[in-house]
Amino acid sequence: MRTLEICTGDPAGIRAAIDGGADRIELCSALSDGGLTPSMSMIRYAVSMPVPINVLVRPRSGDFVFSEDEISVMEEDARLAVEAGADGIVIGALTSEGEIDIDACSRIMKAAGSCDTTFHRAFDLCVNPQKALETIIGLGFKRLLTSGQAASALEGSPLISCLRKQASGRIRIMAGAGITPDNVRNVLTLSGVDEIHASARSMFRPDFRHNSNGNVSMGSNDGCDGSRMATDSRIVNKLKKAIESHS
């Protein structure tokens, strides 16, 4: 059975993902920064919805080499997310040498208990993907999200396929990055995965009609008129249908 996970971070996005047919949501904030830990109120809102919610635990943007203070914050964020009702957590931590940070991951996973666990695309920065996969499996992660160390999952499909074969059922491999309704069937064919991760966003025009200063922007990925990238139920639905039609 194939699974479509949609990454989103606001109430409208959650509803759009569900309306479009998402099987699971990765909940985060600051998608323009690659995703950060969402607020507790957002987590509590999301877990009231009728789909599994996996919460991203990432305290800042940038690299995935975390300080002791940051790891402590991530432990607490993971614990609180699960206590609030999250079905799982999504984490990733690396050493400065580009290997999996075993200690950091172990501590965060312990704080989260027995929930669903995904190692995210920090994996795509590892120096040795085959070794990193074995480490991730050894840590007890249930899922790996990867683009195959490429700019998109389609480009990285050969490595994703190799990782899936190496895993041999010990962990689920989920393809993500640059997946669209037009290429998702090719990703499924070439990689052999059963789980797909996408943001399924498009540009939405603002409801705000007063625009006295069109030169002011509140974010690097937003338009000066207040337009923004947001989860689009139509794209989610097209992804879902394309996945379901794939033989």
Side-chain angles (χ1 to χ4, degrees):
M1 183 176 177
R2 295 193 175 97
T3 299
L4 172 61
E5 176 181 274
I6 296 297
C7 181
T8 191
D10 59 79
I14 293 167
R15 291 194 179 276
I18 294 170
D19 290 345
D23 300 297
R24 184 176 61 238
I25 287 173
E26 182 197 299
L27 185 69
C28 64
S29 65
L31 276 166
S32 60
D33 288 323
L36 301 177
T37 307
S39 69
M40 284 305 303
S41 58
M42 186 60 67
I43 295 171
R44 293 189 183 103
Y45 172 82
V47 299
S48 69
M49 298 295 148
V51 295
I53 303 293
N54 286 357
V55 173
L56 176 66
V57 176
R58 185 185 179 208
R60 58 161 174 78
S61 60
D63 65 41
F64 300 99
V65 182
F66 297 111
S67 69
E68 175 61 31
D69 288 340
E70 289 169 334
I71 295 168
S72 294
V73 168
M74 294 169 78
E75 287 180 278
E76 182 69 357
D77 279 339
R79 183 184 66 79
L80 290 172
V82 174
E83 285 183 358
D87 296 280
I89 60 165
V90 181
I91 65 170
L94 304 178
T95 68
S96 57
E97 291 77 28
E99 298 186 342
I100 305 300
D101 188 331
I102 295 173
D103 179 64
C105 290
S106 297
R107 288 169 53 184
I108 300 165
M109 291 176 73
K110 182 178 179 180
S114 59
C115 72
D116 190 27
T117 48
T118 300
F119 193 100
H120 59 50
R121 288 191 58 220
F123 172 86
D124 292 321
L125 301 177
C126 290
V127 294
N128 186 327
Q130 287 78 21
K131 179 183 177 182
L133 176 61
E134 293 300 326
T135 302
I136 290 168
I137 292 171
L139 282 164
F141 280 91
K142 295 179 173 64
R143 182 181 301 101
L144 168 65
L145 168 62
T146 179
S147 66
Q149 299 203 326
S152 71
L154 182 59
E155 295 173 63
S157 287
L159 178 57
I160 297 173
S161 177
C162 290
L163 294 169
R164 185 184 61 81
K165 292 172 184 175
Q166 179 185 337
S168 189
R170 293 176 293 163
I171 189 173
R172 293 189 288 276
I173 307 295
M174 178 166 60
I179 294 181
T180 69
D182 292 330
N183 66 24
V184 67
R185 283 186 288 263
N186 284 338
V187 173
L188 290 168
T189 298
L190 295 172
S191 68
V193 300
D194 291 320
E195 298 200 15
I196 292 293
H197 171 98
S199 60
R201 294 187 295 165
S202 65
M203 186 66 75
F204 281 78
R205 303 289 295 180
D207 289 330
F208 185 58
R209 292 177 176 81
H210 171 69
N211 188 16
S212 62
N213 191 346
N215 296 317
V216 175
S217 175
M218 298 298 172
S220 59
N221 288 343
D222 296 331
C224 290
D225 62 352
S227 58
R228 64 190 180 93
M229 294 295 291
T231 308
D232 190 328
S233 63
R234 297 166 299 180
I235 298 176
V236 176
N237 190 246
K238 287 179 181 179
L239 279 165
K240 183 68 174 178
K241 288 180 177 179
I243 292 169
E244 290 177 339
S245 68
H246 184 269
S247 58

